[in-house]
Amino acid sequence: MRERLAVAIVTAYRDGTRVGEIAQITGYGREQVRRILRAGGVEAGDTGPADA
């Protein structure tokens, strides 16, 4: 279940949802959302593909 949430977080971020909005929706803190994004291959400010 957590893995699916992590994928949804990365997808939402790449689709333009801000970290703060994701944090509010999921109940996670912004730093936790950033950790999840990094684990998914995305750095804050990076909205392109992970391998680009």
Side-chain angles (χ1 to χ4, degrees):
M1 186 67 159
R2 268 188 225 171
E3 192 171 316
R4 284 195 289 181
L5 181 57
V7 169
I9 287 171
V10 170
T11 301
Y13 184 76
R14 285 190 172 149
D15 287 344
T17 307
R18 295 179 311 184
V19 170
E21 291 177 85
I22 295 169
Q24 188 175 27
I25 291 166
T26 61
Y28 290 143
R30 284 185 278 184
E31 187 54 39
Q32 181 63 28
V33 172
R34 287 186 194 103
R35 279 189 219 118
I36 292 167
L37 290 171
R38 282 193 295 269
V42 179
E43 288 295 324
D46 176 20
T47 56
D51 58 352

